[in-house]
Short mmCIF file of all heavy atoms in Angstrom, two decimals:
data_model
loop_
_atom_site.label_atom_id
_atom_site.label_comp_id
_atom_site.label_asym_id
_atom_site.label_seq_id
_atom_site.Cartn_x
_atom_site.Cartn_y
_atom_site.Cartn_z
N MET A 438 54.13 -128.19 -57.24
CA MET A 438 53.53 -127.81 -56.04
C MET A 438 53.27 -128.98 -55.17
O MET A 438 52.68 -130.05 -55.69
CB MET A 438 52.11 -127.06 -56.52
CG MET A 438 51.67 -126.25 -55.34
SD MET A 438 50.34 -125.11 -55.83
CE MET A 438 51.27 -123.60 -56.07
N ASP A 439 53.62 -128.87 -53.99
CA ASP A 439 53.60 -129.99 -53.03
C ASP A 439 52.24 -130.67 -52.76
O ASP A 439 52.03 -131.92 -52.64
CB ASP A 439 54.31 -129.66 -51.85
CG ASP A 439 55.72 -129.34 -51.93
OD1 ASP A 439 56.31 -129.86 -52.90
OD2 ASP A 439 56.39 -128.81 -50.96
N ASP A 440 51.19 -129.86 -52.80
CA ASP A 440 49.85 -130.33 -52.29
C ASP A 440 48.97 -130.50 -53.64
O ASP A 440 47.75 -130.83 -53.42
CB ASP A 440 49.19 -129.48 -51.29
CG ASP A 440 48.99 -127.99 -51.85
OD1 ASP A 440 49.62 -127.67 -52.92
OD2 ASP A 440 48.15 -127.25 -51.30
N CYS A 441 49.58 -130.60 -54.74
CA CYS A 441 48.74 -130.65 -56.01
C CYS A 441 48.58 -132.11 -56.34
O CYS A 441 49.62 -132.76 -56.57
CB CYS A 441 49.38 -129.83 -57.10
SG CYS A 441 48.52 -130.11 -58.70
N ILE A 442 47.42 -132.63 -56.42
CA ILE A 442 47.18 -134.11 -56.78
C ILE A 442 47.70 -134.42 -58.09
O ILE A 442 48.30 -135.50 -58.32
CB ILE A 442 45.66 -134.45 -56.57
CG1 ILE A 442 45.47 -135.93 -56.73
CG2 ILE A 442 44.86 -133.74 -57.68
CD1 ILE A 442 44.19 -136.44 -56.35
N PHE A 443 47.68 -133.51 -59.03
CA PHE A 443 48.15 -133.79 -60.40
C PHE A 443 49.61 -133.83 -60.45
O PHE A 443 50.21 -134.63 -61.22
CB PHE A 443 47.54 -132.85 -61.44
CG PHE A 443 46.10 -132.82 -61.49
CD1 PHE A 443 45.35 -131.79 -60.94
CD2 PHE A 443 45.44 -133.97 -62.10
CE1 PHE A 443 43.93 -131.97 -61.03
CE2 PHE A 443 44.11 -134.00 -62.17
CZ PHE A 443 43.28 -132.98 -61.58
N CYS A 444 50.26 -132.98 -59.69
CA CYS A 444 51.78 -133.00 -59.65
C CYS A 444 52.19 -134.34 -58.98
O CYS A 444 53.19 -134.99 -59.37
CB CYS A 444 52.34 -131.80 -58.92
SG CYS A 444 52.31 -130.26 -59.77
N LYS A 445 51.49 -134.85 -58.00
CA LYS A 445 51.84 -136.09 -57.36
C LYS A 445 51.58 -137.22 -58.44
O LYS A 445 52.32 -138.17 -58.30
CB LYS A 445 50.89 -136.27 -56.22
CG LYS A 445 51.21 -135.38 -54.98
CD LYS A 445 50.35 -135.56 -53.78
CE LYS A 445 50.83 -134.70 -52.61
NZ LYS A 445 49.98 -134.70 -51.46
N ILE A 446 50.63 -137.13 -59.20
CA ILE A 446 50.44 -138.11 -60.30
C ILE A 446 51.66 -138.01 -61.31
O ILE A 446 52.06 -139.12 -61.65
CB ILE A 446 49.03 -137.91 -61.05
CG1 ILE A 446 47.93 -138.29 -60.11
CG2 ILE A 446 49.01 -138.81 -62.28
CD1 ILE A 446 46.49 -137.90 -60.63
N VAL A 447 52.00 -137.05 -61.61
CA VAL A 447 53.19 -136.77 -62.55
C VAL A 447 54.39 -137.51 -61.97
O VAL A 447 55.10 -138.21 -62.58
CB VAL A 447 53.43 -135.38 -62.92
CG1 VAL A 447 54.78 -135.19 -63.64
CG2 VAL A 447 52.21 -134.82 -63.79
N LYS A 448 54.61 -137.20 -60.67
CA LYS A 448 55.73 -137.75 -59.97
C LYS A 448 55.74 -139.24 -59.66
O LYS A 448 56.64 -139.87 -59.18
CB LYS A 448 56.06 -136.98 -58.63
CG LYS A 448 56.43 -135.52 -58.79
CD LYS A 448 56.59 -134.87 -57.44
CE LYS A 448 56.62 -133.45 -57.42
NZ LYS A 448 56.47 -132.88 -56.16
N GLY A 449 54.44 -139.97 -59.87
CA GLY A 449 54.24 -141.26 -59.62
C GLY A 449 53.97 -141.55 -58.12
O GLY A 449 53.92 -142.70 -57.77
N GLU A 450 53.74 -140.42 -57.41
CA GLU A 450 53.44 -140.59 -55.96
C GLU A 450 51.86 -141.10 -55.80
O GLU A 450 51.62 -141.74 -54.81
CB GLU A 450 53.53 -139.29 -55.18
CG GLU A 450 55.06 -138.85 -55.20
CD GLU A 450 55.27 -137.46 -54.62
OE1 GLU A 450 54.20 -136.84 -54.21
OE2 GLU A 450 56.35 -137.02 -54.69
N ILE A 451 51.11 -140.86 -56.80
CA ILE A 451 49.77 -141.35 -56.85
C ILE A 451 49.63 -142.21 -58.11
O ILE A 451 50.00 -141.65 -59.20
CB ILE A 451 48.81 -140.28 -56.84
CG1 ILE A 451 48.85 -139.48 -55.57
CG2 ILE A 451 47.33 -140.76 -57.08
CD1 ILE A 451 47.87 -138.20 -55.34
N PRO A 452 49.09 -143.40 -58.00
CA PRO A 452 49.12 -144.36 -59.31
C PRO A 452 48.01 -143.75 -60.24
O PRO A 452 47.04 -143.09 -59.86
CB PRO A 452 48.70 -145.64 -58.71
CG PRO A 452 48.07 -145.41 -57.43
CD PRO A 452 48.68 -144.17 -56.84
N SER A 453 48.23 -144.00 -61.51
CA SER A 453 47.34 -143.58 -62.54
C SER A 453 47.47 -144.61 -63.78
O SER A 453 48.45 -145.33 -63.86
CB SER A 453 47.65 -142.15 -63.05
OG SER A 453 48.88 -142.06 -63.71
N THR A 454 46.42 -144.66 -64.53
CA THR A 454 46.48 -145.48 -65.72
C THR A 454 46.86 -144.52 -66.91
O THR A 454 45.97 -143.75 -67.49
CB THR A 454 45.03 -146.08 -66.04
OG1 THR A 454 44.74 -146.84 -64.84
CG2 THR A 454 45.15 -147.01 -67.21
N LYS A 455 48.16 -144.56 -67.25
CA LYS A 455 48.63 -143.63 -68.27
C LYS A 455 48.25 -144.12 -69.66
O LYS A 455 48.33 -145.26 -70.05
CB LYS A 455 50.24 -143.59 -68.25
CG LYS A 455 50.76 -142.89 -67.05
CD LYS A 455 52.24 -142.87 -67.04
CE LYS A 455 52.85 -142.41 -65.70
NZ LYS A 455 54.31 -142.55 -65.73
N ILE A 456 47.84 -143.14 -70.41
CA ILE A 456 47.55 -143.38 -71.83
C ILE A 456 48.69 -142.91 -72.67
O ILE A 456 49.01 -143.55 -73.71
CB ILE A 456 46.22 -142.55 -72.24
CG1 ILE A 456 45.08 -142.92 -71.44
CG2 ILE A 456 45.99 -142.68 -73.76
CD1 ILE A 456 44.64 -144.36 -71.51
N TYR A 457 49.39 -141.78 -72.24
CA TYR A 457 50.48 -141.26 -73.00
C TYR A 457 51.31 -140.42 -72.04
O TYR A 457 50.81 -139.83 -71.06
CB TYR A 457 49.96 -140.30 -74.13
CG TYR A 457 51.07 -139.53 -74.89
CD1 TYR A 457 51.76 -140.24 -75.87
CD2 TYR A 457 51.50 -138.28 -74.50
CE1 TYR A 457 52.76 -139.65 -76.60
CE2 TYR A 457 52.48 -137.64 -75.21
CZ TYR A 457 53.08 -138.28 -76.19
OH TYR A 457 54.21 -137.69 -76.86
N GLU A 458 52.64 -140.42 -72.31
CA GLU A 458 53.56 -139.62 -71.57
C GLU A 458 54.74 -139.16 -72.42
O GLU A 458 55.33 -139.99 -73.03
CB GLU A 458 53.93 -140.29 -70.26
CG GLU A 458 54.90 -139.43 -69.51
CD GLU A 458 55.34 -140.09 -68.15
OE1 GLU A 458 55.20 -141.32 -68.02
OE2 GLU A 458 55.76 -139.36 -67.24
N ASP A 459 55.20 -137.88 -72.40
CA ASP A 459 56.38 -137.50 -72.88
C ASP A 459 57.05 -136.62 -71.89
O ASP A 459 56.58 -136.52 -70.79
CB ASP A 459 56.33 -136.90 -74.28
CG ASP A 459 55.48 -135.61 -74.31
OD1 ASP A 459 55.34 -134.92 -73.27
OD2 ASP A 459 55.04 -135.26 -75.37
N LYS A 460 58.09 -135.85 -72.23
CA LYS A 460 58.79 -135.02 -71.35
C LYS A 460 58.03 -133.84 -70.94
O LYS A 460 58.16 -133.26 -69.78
CB LYS A 460 60.20 -134.56 -71.76
CG LYS A 460 60.13 -133.75 -73.01
CD LYS A 460 61.56 -133.43 -73.32
CE LYS A 460 61.47 -132.36 -74.51
NZ LYS A 460 62.86 -132.08 -75.00
N GLU A 461 57.01 -133.50 -71.64
CA GLU A 461 56.19 -132.24 -71.16
C GLU A 461 54.74 -132.48 -70.84
O GLU A 461 54.20 -131.73 -70.05
CB GLU A 461 56.19 -131.27 -72.36
CG GLU A 461 57.51 -130.60 -72.64
CD GLU A 461 57.49 -129.68 -73.80
OE1 GLU A 461 57.55 -130.15 -74.96
OE2 GLU A 461 57.39 -128.45 -73.46
N PHE A 462 54.12 -133.54 -71.38
CA PHE A 462 52.74 -133.82 -71.13
C PHE A 462 52.51 -135.17 -70.69
O PHE A 462 53.22 -136.15 -70.89
CB PHE A 462 51.96 -133.48 -72.39
CG PHE A 462 52.15 -132.02 -72.96
CD1 PHE A 462 53.02 -131.76 -73.85
CD2 PHE A 462 51.36 -131.10 -72.30
CE1 PHE A 462 53.11 -130.55 -74.33
CE2 PHE A 462 51.44 -129.80 -72.73
CZ PHE A 462 52.44 -129.52 -73.80
N MET A 463 51.22 -135.41 -70.12
CA MET A 463 50.86 -136.71 -69.67
C MET A 463 49.35 -136.81 -69.77
O MET A 463 48.60 -135.85 -69.61
CB MET A 463 51.18 -136.83 -68.17
CG MET A 463 50.98 -138.15 -67.56
SD MET A 463 51.58 -138.23 -65.88
CE MET A 463 50.79 -139.53 -65.30
N ALA A 464 48.85 -138.00 -70.32
CA ALA A 464 47.47 -138.28 -70.36
C ALA A 464 47.15 -139.48 -69.64
O ALA A 464 47.98 -140.43 -69.75
CB ALA A 464 47.11 -138.44 -71.79
N PHE A 465 46.06 -139.48 -68.78
CA PHE A 465 45.69 -140.73 -68.02
C PHE A 465 44.14 -140.75 -67.78
O PHE A 465 43.50 -139.69 -67.98
CB PHE A 465 46.43 -140.61 -66.70
CG PHE A 465 46.22 -139.41 -65.86
CD1 PHE A 465 45.24 -139.35 -64.96
CD2 PHE A 465 47.00 -138.29 -66.13
CE1 PHE A 465 45.02 -138.22 -64.26
CE2 PHE A 465 46.80 -137.14 -65.43
CZ PHE A 465 45.77 -137.05 -64.45
N LEU A 466 43.71 -141.94 -67.51
CA LEU A 466 42.18 -142.03 -67.41
C LEU A 466 41.74 -141.37 -66.19
O LEU A 466 42.35 -141.52 -65.04
CB LEU A 466 41.86 -143.62 -67.35
CG LEU A 466 42.16 -144.31 -68.64
CD1 LEU A 466 41.81 -145.85 -68.43
CD2 LEU A 466 41.35 -143.74 -69.81
N ASP A 467 40.58 -140.80 -66.25
CA ASP A 467 39.98 -140.10 -65.10
C ASP A 467 39.48 -141.23 -64.04
O ASP A 467 39.06 -142.29 -64.52
CB ASP A 467 38.73 -139.28 -65.53
CG ASP A 467 38.31 -138.35 -64.45
OD1 ASP A 467 37.78 -138.76 -63.45
OD2 ASP A 467 38.41 -137.08 -64.79
N ILE A 468 39.61 -140.92 -62.81
CA ILE A 468 39.15 -141.91 -61.84
C ILE A 468 37.62 -141.91 -61.64
O ILE A 468 37.06 -142.94 -61.11
CB ILE A 468 39.86 -141.88 -60.36
CG1 ILE A 468 39.54 -140.53 -59.80
CG2 ILE A 468 41.36 -142.10 -60.62
CD1 ILE A 468 39.94 -140.35 -58.30
N GLY A 469 36.98 -140.88 -62.13
CA GLY A 469 35.56 -140.69 -62.05
C GLY A 469 34.99 -140.53 -63.52
O GLY A 469 34.43 -139.38 -63.55
N PRO A 470 35.21 -141.39 -64.46
CA PRO A 470 34.83 -141.11 -65.84
C PRO A 470 33.36 -140.86 -66.04
O PRO A 470 32.47 -141.50 -65.48
CB PRO A 470 35.27 -142.42 -66.56
CG PRO A 470 35.29 -143.43 -65.59
CD PRO A 470 35.62 -142.81 -64.27
N VAL A 471 33.03 -139.78 -66.89
CA VAL A 471 31.68 -139.56 -67.24
C VAL A 471 31.27 -140.46 -68.47
O VAL A 471 30.08 -140.51 -68.80
CB VAL A 471 31.43 -138.05 -67.49
CG1 VAL A 471 31.57 -137.26 -66.16
CG2 VAL A 471 32.25 -137.50 -68.60
N ASN A 472 32.27 -140.98 -69.15
CA ASN A 472 32.00 -141.91 -70.22
C ASN A 472 33.30 -142.83 -70.40
O ASN A 472 34.38 -142.46 -69.88
CB ASN A 472 31.57 -141.24 -71.46
CG ASN A 472 32.50 -140.19 -71.96
OD1 ASN A 472 33.69 -140.26 -71.71
ND2 ASN A 472 32.06 -139.20 -72.61
N LYS A 473 33.15 -143.90 -71.10
CA LYS A 473 34.21 -144.71 -71.30
C LYS A 473 35.45 -143.96 -71.99
O LYS A 473 35.23 -143.35 -73.05
CB LYS A 473 33.80 -146.00 -72.12
CG LYS A 473 34.78 -147.02 -72.30
CD LYS A 473 34.19 -148.26 -72.88
CE LYS A 473 35.25 -149.27 -73.07
NZ LYS A 473 34.74 -150.55 -73.82
N GLY A 474 36.67 -144.18 -71.41
CA GLY A 474 37.79 -143.59 -72.03
C GLY A 474 38.07 -142.13 -71.71
O GLY A 474 38.89 -141.52 -72.23
N HIS A 475 37.24 -141.65 -70.76
CA HIS A 475 37.34 -140.22 -70.19
C HIS A 475 38.91 -140.00 -69.79
O HIS A 475 39.38 -140.71 -68.84
CB HIS A 475 36.53 -140.00 -69.07
CG HIS A 475 36.51 -138.64 -68.48
ND1 HIS A 475 35.70 -138.20 -67.49
CD2 HIS A 475 37.29 -137.51 -68.82
CE1 HIS A 475 35.99 -137.01 -67.17
NE2 HIS A 475 36.87 -136.56 -67.92
N THR A 476 39.57 -139.16 -70.48
CA THR A 476 41.07 -139.07 -70.35
C THR A 476 41.33 -137.61 -69.86
O THR A 476 40.79 -136.63 -70.58
CB THR A 476 41.74 -139.42 -71.66
OG1 THR A 476 41.45 -140.77 -71.91
CG2 THR A 476 43.24 -139.30 -71.43
N LEU A 477 42.33 -137.46 -69.02
CA LEU A 477 42.80 -136.06 -68.63
C LEU A 477 44.12 -135.91 -69.27
O LEU A 477 44.92 -136.77 -69.25
CB LEU A 477 42.93 -135.98 -67.16
CG LEU A 477 41.66 -136.25 -66.41
CD1 LEU A 477 41.96 -136.13 -64.89
CD2 LEU A 477 40.60 -135.27 -66.74
N VAL A 478 44.30 -134.72 -69.94
CA VAL A 478 45.57 -134.37 -70.57
C VAL A 478 46.12 -133.18 -69.84
O VAL A 478 45.33 -132.24 -69.64
CB VAL A 478 45.34 -134.08 -72.09
CG1 VAL A 478 46.69 -133.56 -72.75
CG2 VAL A 478 44.69 -135.25 -72.79
N MET A 479 47.37 -133.25 -69.43
CA MET A 479 47.90 -132.02 -68.67
C MET A 479 49.36 -131.94 -68.92
O MET A 479 50.09 -132.79 -69.26
CB MET A 479 47.71 -132.25 -67.20
CG MET A 479 48.18 -133.64 -66.68
SD MET A 479 47.89 -133.79 -64.91
CE MET A 479 49.58 -133.54 -64.39
N PRO A 480 49.86 -130.69 -68.76
CA PRO A 480 51.31 -130.35 -68.78
C PRO A 480 51.97 -130.90 -67.57
O PRO A 480 51.24 -131.00 -66.52
CB PRO A 480 51.26 -128.96 -68.93
CG PRO A 480 50.13 -128.38 -68.22
CD PRO A 480 49.11 -129.43 -68.48
N LYS A 481 53.11 -131.31 -67.55
CA LYS A 481 53.87 -131.73 -66.36
C LYS A 481 54.29 -130.57 -65.48
O LYS A 481 54.37 -130.82 -64.26
CB LYS A 481 55.05 -132.51 -66.80
CG LYS A 481 54.82 -133.96 -67.29
CD LYS A 481 55.88 -134.85 -67.55
CE LYS A 481 55.49 -136.23 -67.94
NZ LYS A 481 56.69 -137.11 -68.08
N ASN A 482 54.42 -129.40 -66.09
CA ASN A 482 54.59 -128.19 -65.17
C ASN A 482 53.20 -127.86 -64.58
O ASN A 482 52.23 -127.79 -65.27
CB ASN A 482 55.12 -127.06 -66.13
CG ASN A 482 56.50 -127.21 -66.56
OD1 ASN A 482 57.38 -127.87 -65.84
ND2 ASN A 482 56.81 -126.56 -67.68
N HIS A 483 53.31 -127.59 -63.25
CA HIS A 483 52.13 -127.16 -62.58
C HIS A 483 51.43 -126.05 -63.23
O HIS A 483 52.06 -124.96 -63.47
CB HIS A 483 52.43 -126.89 -61.13
CG HIS A 483 51.17 -126.42 -60.31
ND1 HIS A 483 50.37 -127.40 -59.82
CD2 HIS A 483 50.71 -125.24 -59.99
CE1 HIS A 483 49.34 -126.77 -59.13
NE2 HIS A 483 49.55 -125.41 -59.31
N SER A 484 50.09 -126.15 -63.64
CA SER A 484 49.39 -125.05 -64.16
C SER A 484 47.85 -125.32 -63.82
O SER A 484 47.33 -126.37 -63.86
CB SER A 484 49.32 -125.21 -65.75
OG SER A 484 50.65 -125.22 -66.25
N GLU A 485 47.39 -124.28 -63.07
CA GLU A 485 45.96 -124.50 -62.56
C GLU A 485 44.96 -124.15 -63.57
O GLU A 485 43.90 -124.71 -63.70
CB GLU A 485 45.69 -123.41 -61.35
CG GLU A 485 46.71 -123.98 -60.16
CD GLU A 485 46.28 -123.19 -58.92
OE1 GLU A 485 45.16 -122.60 -58.85
OE2 GLU A 485 47.14 -123.07 -58.01
N THR A 486 45.32 -123.28 -64.60
CA THR A 486 44.48 -123.05 -65.70
C THR A 486 45.34 -122.91 -66.99
O THR A 486 46.51 -122.83 -66.84
CB THR A 486 43.58 -121.74 -65.57
OG1 THR A 486 44.46 -120.65 -65.71
CG2 THR A 486 42.93 -121.76 -64.15
N PHE A 487 44.60 -122.77 -68.12
CA PHE A 487 45.29 -122.45 -69.38
C PHE A 487 46.11 -121.12 -69.26
O PHE A 487 47.15 -121.05 -69.93
CB PHE A 487 44.30 -122.46 -70.51
CG PHE A 487 43.87 -123.78 -70.99
CD1 PHE A 487 42.61 -123.99 -71.18
CD2 PHE A 487 44.87 -124.63 -71.49
CE1 PHE A 487 42.17 -125.20 -71.63
CE2 PHE A 487 44.37 -125.83 -72.02
CZ PHE A 487 43.12 -126.16 -72.13
N LEU A 488 45.66 -120.20 -68.39
CA LEU A 488 46.24 -118.99 -68.31
C LEU A 488 47.66 -119.02 -67.57
O LEU A 488 48.49 -118.10 -67.72
CB LEU A 488 45.41 -117.94 -67.50
CG LEU A 488 44.08 -117.70 -68.11
CD1 LEU A 488 43.17 -116.84 -67.09
CD2 LEU A 488 44.20 -117.00 -69.44
N ASP A 489 47.93 -120.19 -66.97
CA ASP A 489 49.24 -120.36 -66.37
C ASP A 489 50.19 -120.92 -67.39
O ASP A 489 51.40 -121.06 -66.97
CB ASP A 489 49.07 -121.37 -65.16
CG ASP A 489 48.33 -120.81 -64.03
OD1 ASP A 489 48.29 -119.52 -63.89
OD2 ASP A 489 47.62 -121.56 -63.45
N MET A 490 49.79 -121.33 -68.52
CA MET A 490 50.69 -121.97 -69.47
C MET A 490 51.20 -120.84 -70.51
O MET A 490 50.47 -119.93 -70.83
CB MET A 490 49.87 -123.07 -70.26
CG MET A 490 49.48 -124.14 -69.35
SD MET A 490 48.24 -125.38 -70.22
CE MET A 490 49.50 -126.02 -71.39
N ASN A 491 52.44 -121.07 -70.92
CA ASN A 491 52.99 -120.14 -71.97
C ASN A 491 52.36 -120.56 -73.26
O ASN A 491 51.79 -121.51 -73.52
CB ASN A 491 54.47 -120.04 -71.86
CG ASN A 491 55.19 -121.33 -72.20
OD1 ASN A 491 54.77 -122.08 -73.22
ND2 ASN A 491 56.26 -121.71 -71.52
N GLU A 492 52.61 -119.65 -74.30
CA GLU A 492 52.13 -119.76 -75.60
C GLU A 492 52.61 -121.11 -76.27
O GLU A 492 51.70 -121.75 -76.89
CB GLU A 492 52.52 -118.61 -76.45
CG GLU A 492 51.85 -118.47 -77.74
CD GLU A 492 52.21 -117.22 -78.51
OE1 GLU A 492 52.41 -116.13 -77.97
OE2 GLU A 492 52.15 -117.37 -79.75
N ARG A 493 53.88 -121.50 -76.15
CA ARG A 493 54.35 -122.59 -76.68
C ARG A 493 53.65 -123.86 -76.10
O ARG A 493 53.14 -124.82 -76.77
CB ARG A 493 55.83 -122.71 -76.45
CG ARG A 493 56.51 -123.85 -77.28
CD ARG A 493 57.92 -123.97 -76.90
NE ARG A 493 58.09 -124.38 -75.39
CZ ARG A 493 57.91 -125.45 -75.06
NH1 ARG A 493 57.54 -126.56 -75.72
NH2 ARG A 493 58.14 -125.85 -73.76
N GLU A 494 53.56 -123.88 -74.69
CA GLU A 494 52.76 -125.05 -74.08
C GLU A 494 51.34 -125.13 -74.60
O GLU A 494 50.76 -126.18 -74.73
CB GLU A 494 52.87 -124.83 -72.58
CG GLU A 494 54.29 -125.02 -72.03
CD GLU A 494 54.25 -124.83 -70.44
OE1 GLU A 494 53.62 -123.79 -70.11
OE2 GLU A 494 54.92 -125.50 -69.77
N LEU A 495 50.77 -123.98 -74.63
CA LEU A 495 49.28 -124.04 -75.17
C LEU A 495 49.16 -124.59 -76.47
O LEU A 495 48.23 -125.33 -76.77
CB LEU A 495 48.78 -122.57 -75.19
CG LEU A 495 48.36 -121.94 -73.75
CD1 LEU A 495 48.05 -120.46 -73.78
CD2 LEU A 495 47.26 -122.76 -73.15
N GLY A 496 49.96 -124.11 -77.32
CA GLY A 496 50.01 -124.60 -78.76
C GLY A 496 50.21 -126.14 -78.82
O GLY A 496 49.54 -126.86 -79.44
N LYS A 497 51.20 -126.67 -77.96
CA LYS A 497 51.53 -128.04 -77.97
C LYS A 497 50.33 -128.84 -77.40
O LYS A 497 50.04 -129.91 -77.88
CB LYS A 497 52.77 -128.30 -77.23
CG LYS A 497 54.03 -127.87 -78.00
CD LYS A 497 55.30 -128.33 -77.32
CE LYS A 497 55.60 -129.70 -77.67
NZ LYS A 497 56.93 -130.12 -77.24
N ILE A 498 49.85 -128.31 -76.29
CA ILE A 498 48.68 -129.18 -75.59
C ILE A 498 47.50 -129.18 -76.57
O ILE A 498 46.72 -130.15 -76.55
CB ILE A 498 48.42 -128.64 -74.18
CG1 ILE A 498 47.72 -129.94 -73.43
CG2 ILE A 498 47.53 -127.41 -74.08
CD1 ILE A 498 47.71 -129.61 -72.01
N MET A 499 47.14 -128.07 -77.22
CA MET A 499 46.08 -128.12 -78.15
C MET A 499 46.23 -129.00 -79.29
O MET A 499 45.42 -129.86 -79.63
CB MET A 499 45.76 -126.68 -78.65
CG MET A 499 45.06 -125.82 -77.69
SD MET A 499 43.58 -126.44 -77.14
CE MET A 499 43.44 -125.70 -75.64
N HIS A 500 47.37 -129.02 -79.82
CA HIS A 500 47.76 -130.09 -80.89
C HIS A 500 47.61 -131.48 -80.28
O HIS A 500 47.02 -132.43 -80.95
CB HIS A 500 49.20 -129.78 -81.42
CG HIS A 500 49.65 -130.76 -82.43
ND1 HIS A 500 49.31 -130.72 -83.70
CD2 HIS A 500 50.49 -131.88 -82.28
CE1 HIS A 500 49.77 -131.74 -84.37
NE2 HIS A 500 50.55 -132.43 -83.58
N PHE A 501 48.14 -131.69 -79.11
CA PHE A 501 48.16 -133.01 -78.41
C PHE A 501 46.62 -133.47 -78.27
O PHE A 501 46.28 -134.62 -78.55
CB PHE A 501 48.84 -132.88 -77.16
CG PHE A 501 48.90 -134.14 -76.33
CD1 PHE A 501 49.88 -135.05 -76.67
CD2 PHE A 501 48.07 -134.41 -75.30
CE1 PHE A 501 49.96 -136.36 -75.88
CE2 PHE A 501 48.08 -135.52 -74.57
CZ PHE A 501 49.12 -136.50 -74.93
N ILE A 502 45.81 -132.55 -77.81
CA ILE A 502 44.36 -132.89 -77.51
C ILE A 502 43.62 -133.36 -78.79
O ILE A 502 42.81 -134.20 -78.75
CB ILE A 502 43.72 -131.72 -76.83
CG1 ILE A 502 44.26 -131.55 -75.36
CG2 ILE A 502 42.18 -131.98 -76.76
CD1 ILE A 502 43.85 -130.30 -74.65
N LEU A 503 43.99 -132.59 -79.83
CA LEU A 503 43.26 -132.87 -81.19
C LEU A 503 43.73 -133.99 -81.96
O LEU A 503 43.01 -134.45 -82.79
CB LEU A 503 43.34 -131.60 -82.01
CG LEU A 503 42.65 -130.28 -81.34
CD1 LEU A 503 42.90 -129.08 -82.18
CD2 LEU A 503 41.22 -130.54 -81.17
N ILE A 504 44.74 -134.62 -81.62
CA ILE A 504 45.26 -135.81 -82.28
C ILE A 504 44.47 -136.96 -82.03
O ILE A 504 44.05 -137.24 -80.90
CB ILE A 504 46.80 -136.03 -82.02
CG1 ILE A 504 47.63 -135.01 -82.55
CG2 ILE A 504 47.26 -137.50 -82.54
CD1 ILE A 504 49.14 -135.19 -82.25
ZN1 ZN B 823 50.32 -129.39 -60.09
#
């Protein structure tokens, strides 16, 4: 989505401090952290909520978050 800040981060149009990246997911430090190490984990496919993700993506991101 062209006006989505997170899609721009994925494309590298907005800089971020990446913690992890693979072909489907990306994790980076929040610019307004509520505590040290506050990290955002997101799929690279545009998804506004978990409801926009398919079952396989949900399973993978939950596994990713819990590691
Ligand atoms: Zn997006």
